[in-house]
Coordinates of all heavy atoms in Angstrom, one line a residue:
M1 N 9.1 34.1 -13.6 CA 9.2 32.7 -13.1 C 9.7 32.8 -11.6 O 10.6 33.6 -11.3 CB 10.2 31.9 -13.9 CG 10.3 30.5 -13.4 SD 11.3 29.6 -14.6 CE 11.7 28.2 -13.6
T2 N 9.0 32.1 -10.7 CA 9.4 32.1 -9.3 C 10.4 31.0 -9.0 O 10.4 29.9 -9.6 CB 8.2 32.0 -8.4 OG1 7.5 30.8 -8.7 CG2 7.2 33.2 -8.6
D3 N 11.2 31.2 -8.0 CA 12.1 30.2 -7.5 C 11.3 29.1 -6.8 O 10.4 29.4 -6.1 CB 13.2 30.8 -6.6 CG 14.1 31.7 -7.3 OD1 14.3 31.4 -8.5 OD2 14.6 32.6 -6.7
S4 N 11.8 27.9 -6.9 CA 11.2 26.8 -6.2 C 11.4 26.9 -4.7 O 12.6 27.2 -4.3 CB 11.7 25.4 -6.7 OG 11.4 24.4 -5.8
P5 N 10.4 26.7 -3.9 CA 10.7 26.7 -2.4 C 11.6 25.5 -2.0 O 12.0 25.5 -0.8 CB 9.3 26.6 -1.8 CG 8.5 26.0 -2.8 CD 9.1 26.4 -4.2
Y6 N 11.8 24.6 -2.8 CA 12.6 23.4 -2.5 C 14.0 23.4 -3.2 O 14.5 22.3 -3.5 CB 11.8 22.1 -2.8 CG 10.5 22.2 -2.1 CD1 9.3 22.3 -2.8 CD2 10.4 22.2 -0.7 CE1 8.1 22.4 -2.1 CE2 9.2 22.3 0.0 CZ 8.1 22.4 -0.7 OH 6.9 22.4 -0.1
G7 N 14.5 24.6 -3.5 CA 15.8 24.7 -4.2 C 17.0 24.5 -3.3 O 16.9 23.8 -2.2
W8 N 18.1 25.2 -3.6 CA 19.3 25.0 -3.0 C 19.3 25.3 -1.5 O 19.8 24.6 -0.6 CB 20.4 25.9 -3.6 CG 21.6 26.0 -2.8 CD1 22.1 27.1 -2.2 CD2 22.6 25.0 -2.5 NE1 23.3 26.9 -1.5 CE2 23.6 25.5 -1.7 CE3 22.6 23.6 -2.7 CZ2 24.6 24.8 -1.1 CZ3 23.7 22.9 -2.2 CH2 24.7 23.5 -1.4
E9 N 18.7 26.4 -1.1 CA 18.6 26.8 0.3 C 17.8 25.8 1.1 O 18.2 25.4 2.3 CB 17.9 28.2 0.5 CG 18.8 29.3 0.0 CD 20.1 29.4 0.8 OE1 20.1 29.2 2.0 OE2 21.2 29.7 0.2
H10 N 16.8 25.2 0.6 CA 16.0 24.2 1.3 C 16.8 23.0 1.5 O 16.9 22.4 2.6 CB 14.7 23.9 0.4 CG 13.8 22.8 1.0 ND1 12.8 23.2 1.8 CD2 13.8 21.5 0.8 CE1 12.2 22.1 2.2 NE2 12.7 21.0 1.6
Q11 N 17.5 22.5 0.4 CA 18.4 21.4 0.6 C 19.5 21.6 1.6 O 19.9 20.7 2.3 CB 18.9 21.0 -0.8 CG 17.9 20.5 -1.8 CD 17.0 19.4 -1.3 OE1 17.5 18.5 -0.6 NE2 15.7 19.5 -1.5
K12 N 20.1 22.8 1.6 CA 21.1 23.1 2.5 C 20.6 23.0 4.0 O 21.3 22.5 4.8 CB 21.7 24.5 2.2 CG 22.8 24.9 3.1 CD 23.3 26.3 2.7 CE 24.3 26.9 3.7 NZ 24.6 28.3 3.5
R13 N 19.4 23.6 4.2 CA 18.9 23.6 5.6 C 18.6 22.1 6.0 O 18.8 21.7 7.1 CB 17.6 24.4 5.7 CG 17.8 25.9 5.9 CD 16.5 26.6 6.2 NE 15.5 26.5 5.2 CZ 15.5 27.2 4.1 NH1 16.4 28.0 3.8 NH2 14.5 27.0 3.2
R14 N 18.1 21.3 5.0 CA 17.8 19.9 5.3 C 19.1 19.2 5.7 O 19.1 18.5 6.7 CB 17.2 19.2 4.1 CG 16.8 17.8 4.4 CD 16.2 17.1 3.1 NE 15.8 15.8 3.4 CZ 16.6 14.7 3.4 NH1 17.9 14.9 3.1 NH2 16.2 13.5 3.6
A15 N 20.2 19.4 5.0 CA 21.4 18.8 5.2 C 22.0 19.2 6.6 O 22.6 18.3 7.3 CB 22.4 19.1 4.1
E16 N 21.8 20.4 7.0 CA 22.3 20.9 8.3 C 21.5 20.3 9.4 O 22.0 20.0 10.5 CB 22.2 22.4 8.3 CG 23.2 23.1 7.4 CD 22.9 24.6 7.3 OE1 21.9 25.1 7.8 OE2 23.8 25.3 6.6
L17 N 20.1 20.2 9.3 CA 19.3 19.7 10.4 C 19.2 18.2 10.5 O 18.9 17.7 11.6 CB 17.9 20.4 10.2 CG 17.8 21.9 10.4 CD1 16.4 22.3 10.0 CD2 18.2 22.3 11.7
L18 N 19.4 17.5 9.4 CA 19.2 16.1 9.4 C 19.9 15.3 10.4 O 19.3 14.6 11.2 CB 19.5 15.5 8.0 CG 19.0 14.1 7.7 CD1 17.5 14.0 7.9 CD2 19.4 13.8 6.2
P19 N 21.3 15.5 10.6 CA 22.0 14.7 11.6 C 21.5 15.0 13.0 O 21.6 14.1 13.9 CB 23.4 15.2 11.4 CG 23.5 15.9 10.1 CD 22.1 16.4 9.8
L20 N 21.0 16.2 13.3 CA 20.5 16.6 14.6 C 19.1 15.9 14.9 O 18.7 15.8 16.1 CB 20.4 18.1 14.7 CG 21.6 18.9 14.4 CD1 21.3 20.4 14.4 CD2 22.7 18.6 15.4
A21 N 18.4 15.5 13.9 CA 17.1 14.9 14.0 C 17.1 13.4 14.4 O 16.1 12.9 15.0 CB 16.3 15.2 12.8
Y22 N 18.1 12.7 14.0 CA 18.2 11.3 14.3 C 18.0 11.0 15.8 O 18.5 11.6 16.6 CB 19.5 10.6 13.8 CG 19.7 10.8 12.3 CD1 21.0 11.1 11.8 CD2 18.7 10.6 11.4 CE1 21.2 11.2 10.5 CE2 18.9 10.7 10.0 CZ 20.2 11.0 9.6 OH 20.4 11.1 8.2
N23 N 17.1 10.0 16.0 CA 16.8 9.5 17.4 C 16.1 10.6 18.2 O 16.2 10.5 19.5 CB 18.1 9.0 18.1 CG 18.8 7.9 17.3 OD1 18.1 7.0 16.9 ND2 20.0 8.1 17.1
T24 N 15.4 11.5 17.6 CA 14.5 12.4 18.3 C 13.1 12.2 17.8 O 12.9 11.7 16.7 CB 15.0 13.9 18.0 OG1 14.8 14.2 16.6 CG2 16.4 14.1 18.4
P25 N 12.1 12.7 18.5 CA 10.7 12.5 18.1 C 10.4 13.4 16.9 O 10.8 14.5 16.8 CB 9.9 13.0 19.3 CG 10.9 13.2 20.4 CD 12.2 13.3 19.9
C26 N 9.6 12.8 16.0 CA 9.0 13.6 14.9 C 8.1 14.6 15.5 O 7.2 14.3 16.3 CB 8.3 12.6 14.0 SG 7.3 13.4 12.7
P27 N 8.2 15.9 15.0 CA 7.3 16.9 15.5 C 5.8 16.7 15.2 O 4.9 17.2 15.8 CB 7.8 18.2 14.9 CG 9.0 17.9 14.1 CD 9.2 16.4 14.1
R28 N 5.5 15.9 14.2 CA 4.1 15.6 13.8 C 3.5 14.4 14.5 O 2.4 14.5 15.0 CB 4.1 15.4 12.3 CG 4.5 16.6 11.5 CD 3.4 17.1 10.6 NE 3.8 18.2 9.8 CZ 3.2 19.3 9.6 NH1 2.0 19.5 10.2 NH2 3.7 20.2 8.8
C29 N 4.2 13.3 14.6 CA 3.6 12.1 15.1 C 4.2 11.7 16.5 O 3.6 10.9 17.2 CB 3.8 10.9 14.2 SG 5.5 10.3 14.0
G30 N 5.4 12.2 16.8 CA 6.0 11.9 18.1 C 6.9 10.6 18.1 O 7.6 10.3 19.1
N31 N 6.8 9.8 17.0 CA 7.7 8.6 16.9 C 9.1 9.0 16.6 O 9.4 10.0 16.0 CB 7.2 7.7 15.8 CG 5.8 7.1 16.2 OD1 5.5 6.8 17.4 ND2 5.0 6.8 15.2
I32 N 10.1 8.2 17.1 CA 11.5 8.5 16.9 C 11.9 8.4 15.4 O 11.4 7.5 14.7 CB 12.3 7.5 17.8 CG1 12.0 7.7 19.2 CG2 13.8 7.7 17.5 CD1 12.3 9.0 19.8
M33 N 12.7 9.4 15.0 CA 13.1 9.4 13.6 C 14.5 8.7 13.6 O 15.4 9.1 14.3 CB 13.3 10.9 13.1 CG 11.9 11.6 13.1 SD 12.0 13.3 12.4 CE 12.8 14.1 13.8
L34 N 14.6 7.7 12.7 CA 15.8 6.9 12.6 C 16.6 7.3 11.3 O 15.9 7.8 10.3 CB 15.5 5.5 12.6 CG 14.7 5.0 13.9 CD1 14.3 3.5 13.7 CD2 15.6 5.2 15.1
E35 N 17.8 7.0 11.2 CA 18.6 7.2 10.0 C 18.1 6.5 8.8 O 18.2 6.9 7.7 CB 20.1 6.8 10.3 CG 20.8 7.8 11.1 CD 22.3 7.5 11.2 OE1 23.0 7.5 10.1 OE2 22.8 7.3 12.3
T36 N 17.4 5.4 9.1 CA 16.8 4.5 8.0 C 15.5 5.0 7.5 O 15.0 4.5 6.5 CB 16.7 3.1 8.5 OG1 16.0 3.0 9.7 CG2 18.1 2.5 8.7
D37 N 14.9 6.0 8.2 CA 13.6 6.5 7.9 C 13.7 7.5 6.7 O 14.7 8.2 6.6 CB 12.9 7.3 9.1 CG 12.5 6.3 10.2 OD1 12.4 5.1 10.0 OD2 12.3 6.8 11.3
D38 N 12.6 7.7 6.0 CA 12.6 8.7 4.9 C 12.1 10.0 5.6 O 11.0 10.1 6.2 CB 11.5 8.3 3.9 CG 11.5 9.1 2.6 OD1 12.5 9.9 2.5 OD2 10.6 9.0 1.8
L39 N 13.0 11.0 5.6 CA 12.8 12.2 6.4 C 12.8 13.4 5.4 O 13.6 13.5 4.5 CB 13.9 12.4 7.4 CG 14.0 11.2 8.5 CD1 15.2 11.4 9.4 CD2 12.7 11.1 9.3
D40 N 11.9 14.4 5.7 CA 11.8 15.6 4.9 C 12.1 16.8 5.8 O 11.9 16.7 7.0 CB 10.3 15.8 4.5 CG 9.9 14.9 3.3 OD1 10.8 14.3 2.7 OD2 8.7 14.9 2.9
L41 N 12.4 17.9 5.2 CA 12.5 19.2 5.9 C 11.1 19.7 5.9 O 10.5 20.0 4.8 CB 13.4 20.1 5.1 CG 13.6 21.5 5.7 CD1 14.2 21.4 7.1 CD2 14.5 22.4 4.8
G42 N 10.5 19.9 7.0 CA 9.1 20.4 7.2 C 9.1 21.9 7.6 O 10.1 22.5 7.9
H43 N 7.9 22.4 7.7 CA 7.6 23.8 8.1 C 6.8 23.8 9.4 O 5.8 23.2 9.5 CB 6.8 24.5 7.0 CG 7.5 24.6 5.7 ND1 7.6 23.5 4.8 CD2 8.2 25.6 5.1 CE1 8.3 23.9 3.7 NE2 8.6 25.1 3.9
T44 N 7.3 24.6 10.3 CA 6.5 24.8 11.6 C 5.2 25.5 11.2 O 4.1 25.1 11.6 CB 7.3 25.6 12.6 OG1 8.4 24.9 12.9 CG2 6.4 25.9 13.8
V45 N 5.2 26.5 10.3 CA 4.1 27.1 9.8 C 4.0 26.6 8.3 O 4.8 26.8 7.5 CB 4.2 28.7 9.7 CG1 3.0 29.3 9.0 CG2 4.4 29.2 11.1
D46 N 2.9 25.8 8.1 CA 2.8 25.1 6.8 C 2.9 26.1 5.6 O 2.4 27.2 5.7 CB 1.5 24.3 6.8 CG 1.5 23.1 7.6 OD1 2.5 22.3 7.6 OD2 0.6 22.9 8.4
H47 N 3.6 25.6 4.6 CA 3.8 26.4 3.4 C 2.5 26.8 2.7 O 2.4 27.9 2.2 CB 4.7 25.6 2.4 CG 5.3 26.4 1.4 ND1 4.9 26.5 0.1 CD2 6.4 27.2 1.5 CE1 5.7 27.3 -0.5 NE2 6.7 27.7 0.3
A48 N 1.4 26.0 2.9 CA 0.1 26.4 2.3 C -0.5 27.6 3.0 O -1.3 28.3 2.5 CB -0.8 25.2 2.3
I49 N -0.1 27.8 4.3 CA -0.6 28.9 5.1 C 0.2 30.1 4.8 O -0.3 31.2 4.7 CB -0.6 28.5 6.6 CG1 -1.5 27.3 6.9 CG2 -1.0 29.7 7.4 CD1 -3.0 27.5 6.7
D50 N 1.5 30.0 4.8 CA 2.4 31.1 4.6 C 3.5 30.7 3.5 O 4.4 30.0 3.8 CB 3.1 31.5 5.9 CG 4.1 32.6 5.7 OD1 4.2 33.2 4.6 OD2 4.8 32.9 6.7
P51 N 3.2 31.1 2.3 CA 4.1 30.7 1.2 C 5.6 31.2 1.4 O 6.5 30.7 0.7 CB 3.5 31.3 -0.1 CG 2.1 31.6 0.3 CD 2.1 31.8 1.8
H52 N 5.8 32.1 2.3 CA 7.1 32.6 2.6 C 7.8 31.9 3.7 O 9.0 32.2 4.0 CB 7.1 34.1 2.9 CG 6.4 34.9 1.8 ND1 7.1 35.1 0.6 CD2 5.2 35.5 1.7 CE1 6.3 35.8 -0.2 NE2 5.1 36.1 0.4
S53 N 7.1 30.9 4.3 CA 7.8 30.2 5.4 C 8.9 29.3 4.9 O 8.8 28.9 3.7 CB 6.7 29.3 6.2 OG 6.3 28.3 5.4
V54 N 9.8 29.1 5.7 CA 11.0 28.2 5.3 C 11.0 27.0 6.1 O 10.5 26.9 7.2 CB 12.3 29.0 5.4 CG1 12.4 30.2 4.5 CG2 12.6 29.4 6.9
G55 N 11.5 25.9 5.5 CA 11.6 24.7 6.2 C 12.5 24.9 7.4 O 13.6 25.4 7.3
D56 N 12.1 24.4 8.6 CA 12.9 24.6 9.8 C 12.9 23.5 10.7 O 13.5 23.6 11.8 CB 12.3 25.9 10.5 CG 10.8 25.7 10.9 OD1 10.2 24.7 10.5 OD2 10.3 26.5 11.7
R57 N 12.4 22.3 10.3 CA 12.5 21.1 11.1 C 12.4 19.9 10.3 O 11.8 19.9 9.2 CB 11.4 21.1 12.2 CG 10.0 21.0 11.6 CD 8.9 21.2 12.6 NE 7.6 20.9 12.1 CZ 6.5 21.0 12.9 NH1 6.6 21.3 14.1 NH2 5.4 20.7 12.4
I58 N 13.0 18.8 10.8 CA 12.9 17.5 10.1 C 11.7 16.8 10.6 O 11.4 16.8 11.8 CB 14.2 16.7 10.4 CG1 15.4 17.5 9.9 CG2 14.2 15.3 9.8 CD1 15.5 17.7 8.4
E59 N 11.0 16.1 9.7 CA 9.8 15.3 10.0 C 9.9 14.0 9.2 O 10.6 14.0 8.2 CB 8.6 16.1 9.6 CG 8.4 17.4 10.2 CD 7.3 18.2 9.6 OE1 6.8 17.9 8.5 OE2 6.9 19.2 10.2
H60 N 9.1 13.0 9.6 CA 9.0 11.8 8.8 C 8.4 12.3 7.5 O 7.4 13.1 7.5 CB 8.0 10.8 9.4 CG 8.6 10.0 10.6 ND1 8.1 10.1 11.8 CD2 9.7 9.2 10.6 CE1 8.9 9.3 12.6 NE2 9.8 8.8 11.9
A61 N 8.8 11.7 6.4 CA 8.3 12.1 5.1 C 6.8 11.9 5.0 O 6.0 12.7 4.5 CB 9.1 11.4 4.0
D62 N 6.4 10.7 5.5 CA 4.9 10.4 5.4 C 4.1 11.4 6.2 O 3.0 11.8 5.8 CB 4.7 9.0 6.0 CG 5.1 7.9 5.0 OD1 5.4 8.2 3.8 OD2 5.2 6.7 5.5
C63 N 4.6 11.8 7.4 CA 3.9 12.7 8.2 C 3.8 14.1 7.5 O 2.7 14.7 7.5 CB 4.6 12.9 9.6 SG 4.6 11.4 10.6
N64 N 4.9 14.5 7.0 CA 5.0 15.8 6.3 C 4.1 15.9 5.1 O 3.3 16.8 5.0 CB 6.4 16.1 5.9 CG 6.6 17.4 5.2 OD1 5.9 18.4 5.5 ND2 7.6 17.4 4.3
R65 N 4.1 14.9 4.3 CA 3.3 14.9 3.1 C 1.9 14.6 3.3 O 1.0 15.2 2.7 CB 3.9 13.8 2.1 CG 5.3 14.2 1.7 CD 6.0 13.1 1.0 NE 7.5 13.4 0.9 CZ 8.3 12.7 0.3 NH1 8.0 11.5 -0.3 NH2 9.6 13.0 0.3
S66 N 1.6 13.8 4.3 CA 0.2 13.6 4.7 C -0.5 14.9 5.3 O -1.6 15.3 4.9 CB 0.1 12.5 5.8 OG -1.3 12.3 6.2
A67 N 0.3 15.6 6.1 CA -0.2 16.9 6.7 C -0.4 17.9 5.6 O -1.4 18.6 5.6 CB 0.8 17.4 7.7
G68 N 0.5 17.9 4.6 CA 0.4 18.9 3.5 C -0.8 18.5 2.6 O -1.6 19.4 2.2
G69 N -1.1 17.3 2.4 CA -2.2 16.8 1.6 C -3.5 17.1 2.3 O -4.5 17.6 1.7
T70 N -3.6 16.9 3.6 CA -4.8 17.1 4.4 C -5.1 18.6 4.4 O -6.2 19.0 4.2 CB -4.6 16.6 5.8 OG1 -4.4 15.2 5.7 CG2 -5.8 16.9 6.7
L71 N -4.1 19.4 4.7 CA -4.3 20.9 4.7 C -4.7 21.4 3.4 O -5.6 22.2 3.3 CB -3.0 21.6 5.2 CG -3.1 23.1 5.3 CD1 -4.2 23.5 6.2 CD2 -1.8 23.7 5.7
G72 N -4.1 20.9 2.3 CA -4.4 21.4 1.0 C -5.9 21.0 0.6 O -6.6 21.9 0.1
A73 N -6.3 19.8 1.0 CA -7.7 19.4 0.7 C -8.6 20.3 1.5 O -9.7 20.7 1.0 CB -7.9 18.0 1.1
M74 N -8.3 20.6 2.8 CA -9.1 21.4 3.6 C -9.3 22.8 3.1 O -10.4 23.3 3.0 CB -8.6 21.4 5.0 CG -9.5 22.2 6.0 SD -8.8 22.2 7.7 CE -7.4 23.3 7.4
L75 N -8.2 23.4 2.6 CA -8.2 24.7 2.1 C -9.0 24.8 0.8 O -9.8 25.7 0.5 CB -6.8 25.2 1.8 CG -6.0 25.5 3.1 CD1 -4.5 25.9 2.7 CD2 -6.6 26.6 3.9
R76 N -8.9 23.7 -0.1 CA -9.6 23.7 -1.3 C -11.1 23.5 -1.0 O -12.0 24.2 -1.6 CB -9.2 22.5 -2.2 CG -7.9 22.8 -3.0 CD -7.5 21.7 -4.0 NE -7.4 20.4 -3.4 CZ -6.3 20.0 -2.8 NH1 -5.2 20.8 -2.7 NH2 -6.2 18.8 -2.3
S77 N -11.5 22.7 -0.1 CA -12.9 22.5 0.3 C -13.5 23.8 0.9 O -14.6 24.2 0.5 CB -13.0 21.4 1.4 OG -14.3 21.4 1.9
H78 N -12.7 24.5 1.7 CA -13.1 25.8 2.2 C -13.4 26.8 1.1 O -14.4 27.5 1.1 CB -12.1 26.3 3.2 CG -12.5 27.6 3.9 ND1 -13.4 27.7 4.9 CD2 -12.0 28.9 3.7 CE1 -13.5 28.9 5.3 NE2 -12.7 29.7 4.6
K79 N -12.4 26.9 0.2 CA -12.6 27.8 -0.9 C -13.8 27.5 -1.8 O -14.5 28.4 -2.2 CB -11.3 27.7 -1.8 CG -11.2 28.7 -2.8 CD -9.8 28.6 -3.5 CE -9.6 29.7 -4.6 NZ -8.3 29.6 -5.2
E80 N -14.1 26.2 -2.0 CA -15.2 25.8 -2.8 C -16.5 26.2 -2.0 O -17.5 26.6 -2.6 CB -15.2 24.3 -3.1 CG -14.2 23.9 -4.1 CD -14.4 24.4 -5.5 OE1 -15.6 24.4 -5.9 OE2 -13.5 24.7 -6.1
R81 N -16.5 26.0 -0.8 CA -17.7 26.2 0.0 C -18.1 27.7 0.1 O -19.3 28.0 0.1 CB -17.5 25.7 1.5 CG -18.8 25.6 2.3 CD -18.6 24.9 3.6 NE -17.5 24.0 3.7 CZ -16.7 23.9 4.7 NH1 -16.9 24.6 5.8 NH2 -15.7 23.0 4.7
F82 N -17.1 28.5 0.0 CA -17.4 30.0 0.2 C -17.2 30.7 -1.1 O -17.1 31.9 -1.1 CB -16.5 30.5 1.3 CG -16.8 30.0 2.6 CD1 -16.1 29.0 3.2 CD2 -18.0 30.5 3.3 CE1 -16.4 28.5 4.4 CE2 -18.3 30.0 4.5 CZ -17.6 28.9 5.1
R83 N -17.2 30.0 -2.3 CA -17.2 30.7 -3.6 C -18.5 31.4 -3.8 O -19.6 30.9 -3.6 CB -17.0 29.6 -4.6 CG -16.9 30.2 -6.0 CD -16.7 29.2 -7.1 NE -15.3 28.7 -6.9 CZ -14.9 27.6 -7.5 NH1 -15.7 26.9 -8.3 NH2 -13.7 27.2 -7.4
P84 N -18.4 32.7 -4.2 CA -19.6 33.5 -4.5 C -20.5 32.8 -5.5 O -20.0 32.3 -6.5 CB -19.1 34.8 -4.9 CG -17.6 34.8 -4.6 CD -17.2 33.4 -4.5
S85 N -21.8 32.9 -5.3 CA -22.7 32.3 -6.3 C -22.8 33.2 -7.5 O -22.7 34.4 -7.4 CB -24.1 32.3 -5.6 OG -25.1 31.9 -6.6
R86 N -22.9 32.6 -8.7 CA -23.0 33.3 -9.9 C -24.4 33.6 -10.3 O -24.7 34.2 -11.3 CB -22.3 32.5 -11.0 CG -20.8 32.3 -10.8 CD -20.1 33.3 -11.7 NE -18.7 33.0 -11.5 CZ -17.8 34.0 -11.8 NH1 -18.2 35.1 -12.2 NH2 -16.5 33.7 -11.6
A87 N -25.4 33.0 -9.5 CA -26.8 33.2 -9.9 C -27.3 34.5 -9.2 O -27.4 34.7 -8.1 CB -27.6 32.1 -9.3
W88 N -27.5 35.6 -10.1 CA -28.0 36.8 -9.6 C -29.3 37.1 -10.3 O -29.7 37.1 -11.3 CB -27.1 38.0 -9.8 CG -25.7 37.8 -10.1 CD1 -24.8 37.1 -9.5 CD2 -25.0 38.5 -11.2 NE1 -23.6 37.2 -10.0 CE2 -23.6 38.1 -11.1 CE3 -25.3 39.3 -12.2 CZ2 -22.7 38.5 -12.0 CZ3 -24.3 39.8 -13.0 CH2 -23.0 39.3 -12.9

């Protein structure tokens, strides 16, 4: 069984970075992040690209999750497009 990438260390990094992120631009959309916003710990190198990457920045939750969904869909589409043909 593998450890969740969103376990204790992830939560600790989020707690450390969160207060520093308030009133600064979101790295994804550029809009200011407020204390009232839903914020996630994001990855500079997306987790789908490098499963060993660690969360290293705070982002709007919507931006983070939308980017992850978009990247995941793109990777799945690419995988489907280049799947070897079974017809020999």
